[in-house]
Amino acid sequence: MELVLGIVGGIFGLLGGIFAVMFGMFASEVTMLGVSAILASIFGIIGSVLVVKNPKVGGIVLVVSAVWLFISVYLFGILGAVLMVLAGLLAVLRK
């Protein structure tokens, strides 16, 4: 469950980051934040893969990358950030 949520959240984050980069052609700050969002999404996908072997570490990575994504592009990455936070919390709270 966490794996799927994390990967889907990462994909939505990647789409938001790509959209921010395309929109940022008119403003260089937005372009850099879009690149940051893309990196956060890749980090989140890596975290969702880590959940399979070590749920606590993978969950922490997912939560950190979700916060990073949310700070980077706010509305462009809100869906990806929410999905990654859910996956991260599910992984951290797993028994």
Side-chain angles (χ1 to χ4, degrees), residues 45-66:
I45 292 171
I46 291 169
S48 65
V49 172
L50 286 175
V51 167
V52 175
K53 294 216 180 224
N54 192 346
K56 303 291 183 203
V57 173
I60 292 169
V61 169
L62 278 166
V63 171
V64 168
S65 65

Side-chain angles (χ1 to χ4, degrees), residues 27-90:
S28 63
E29 296 86 17
V30 177
T31 303
M32 293 310 294
L33 290 174
V35 171
S36 175
I38 291 170
L39 292 175
S41 299
I42 292 170
F43 194 61
I45 292 171
I46 291 169
S48 65
V49 172
L50 286 175
V51 167
V52 175
K53 294 216 180 224
N54 192 346
K56 303 291 183 203
V57 173
I60 292 169
V61 169
L62 278 166
V63 171
V64 168
S65 65
V67 171
W68 179 10
L69 176 65
F70 185 74
I71 290 171
S72 292
V73 289
Y74 186 57
L75 288 178
F76 293 144
I78 189 91
L79 182 60
V82 168
L83 290 175
M84 285 194 286
V85 163
L86 285 174
L89 290 177
L90 284 172

